[in-house]
Amino acid sequence: DADVTQTPRNRITKTGKRIMLECSQTKGHDRMYWYRQDPGLGLRLIYYSFDVKDINKGEISDGYSVSRQAQAKFSLSLESAIPNQTALYFCATSDPADNEKLFFGSGTQLSVL
Amino acid sequence: QKEVEQNSGPLSVPEGAIASLNCTYSDRVSQSFFWYRQYSGKSPELIMSIYSNGDKEDGRFTAQLNKASQYVSLLIRDSQPSDSATYLCAVNTRDSSYKLIFGSGTRLLVRP
């Protein structure tokens, strides 16, 4: 079983629609992250959460929101999707006791038409 | 200037050769450095971490860190076609929150 699970794996949506990407983990890590990956740009941090009551913006948070429903669950929402949000999205977790090594989910490929 | 820079490649090497991947970073106080391997369409996978100057070896992989020159490299000995992937360099940020900043990755092709 995957330690970090993302749903859905693929999503096609239309401009203006609200969508949610979900992430759950069984690693017991407090810290969770959302990254997006675009060709040639590497991974960029959208939001991160160090515990249930701690939410922080990353370098590209505009147009996104997040919810940390529990230690194991961290969801990403696009309130009104636009085409330039088409990307591969990754959820990740880390443990500060393990030098913050990131463990990634399988990713969600999102296409906004 | 990007915080973490890598040559995008592709870096093409013959099977059995040594592949050398390089990464430079801008934040002098960074303390933790990681190499992730990412196969096409898959998620990044941690392969090496290094925290102090010098070399760290793990099987066919060697990570090298030079904080004075602000670079970190990854050597892959006896390269195999299965090593063909994109290699992402990641560096922790200045503040205490330990956020990782990623380079854009170097694509490695190992020719049979």
Side-chain angles (χ1 to χ4, degrees):
Chain A
D1 290 340
D3 291 330
V4 184
T5 303
Q6 291 183 234
T7 55
R9 290 296 307 275
N10 293 279
R11 178 74 183 268
I12 299 174
T13 192
K14 294 182 178 180
T15 297
K17 294 292 187 182
R18 181 182 188 277
I19 67 162
M20 179 182 291
L21 309 183
E22 299 192 17
C23 177
S24 62
Q25 52 113 347
T26 58
K27 300 189 75 68
H29 292 167
D30 287 327
R31 301 187 173 191
M32 299 187 73
Y33 308 79
W34 277 103
Y35 284 89
R36 68 174 277 177
Q37 187 173 36
D38 300 272
L41 293 179
L43 288 159
R44 291 183 292 167
L45 183 62
I46 306 172
Y47 270 96
Y48 63 101
S49 170
F50 283 175
D51 64 43
V52 175
K53 295 182 179 180
D54 177 74
I55 302 289
N56 303 281
K57 293 182 177 180
E59 55 187 310
I60 53 163
S61 59
D62 288 348
Y64 302 94
S65 62
V66 291
S67 174
R68 186 79 184 267
Q69 300 95 325
Q71 186 213 31
K73 295 182 182 293
F74 192 36
S75 59
L76 176 71
S77 294
L78 286 68
E79 297 300 326
S80 179
I82 55 177
N84 76 1
Q85 291 177 312
T86 293
L88 181 58
Y89 290 83
F90 287 106
C91 175
T93 72
S94 73
D95 178 3
D98 195 16
N99 283 298
E100 300 297 346
K101 296 172 186 175
L102 287 175
F103 296 89
F104 288 87
S106 299
T108 295
Q109 178 62 56
L110 175 66
S111 298
V112 183
L113 305 179
Chain B
Q1 181 189 5
K2 290 183 180 179
E3 294 185 68
V4 180
E5 296 209 45
Q6 296 180 254
N7 188 315
S8 62
L11 172 65
S12 181
V13 300
E15 183 174 355
I18 296 175
S20 178
L21 306 166
N22 299 311
C23 171
T24 59
Y25 60 94
S26 59
D27 188 350
R28 285 190 170 275
V29 300
S30 296
Q31 296 296 319
S32 304
F33 307 86
F34 304 90
W35 284 99
Y36 286 81
R37 178 176 62 200
Q38 186 177 25
Y39 293 112
S40 181
K42 303 296 184 182
S43 57
E45 171 193 15
L46 179 67
I47 55 171
M48 289 289 288
S49 58
I50 187 166
Y51 309 105
S52 56
N53 281 328
D55 295 359
K56 178 182 178 182
E57 186 175 320
D58 183 0
R60 296 187 295 112
F61 299 100
T62 298
Q64 299 175 318
L65 175 61
N66 183 323
K67 290 185 178 181
S69 300
Q70 294 176 242
Y71 82 78
V72 57
S73 62
L74 179 69
L75 301 178
I76 306 175
R77 291 182 299 280
D78 188 24
S79 295
Q80 302 296 310
S82 59
D83 295 325
S84 298
T86 296
Y87 289 80
L88 302 170
C89 173
V91 178
N92 79 324
T93 54
R94 173 188 296 271
D95 59 45
S96 61
S97 62
Y98 277 98
K99 299 189 299 293
L100 289 187
I101 301 297
F102 284 83
S104 57
T106 298
R107 185 175 166 217
L108 173 66
L109 296 175
V110 181
R111 308 186 304 272

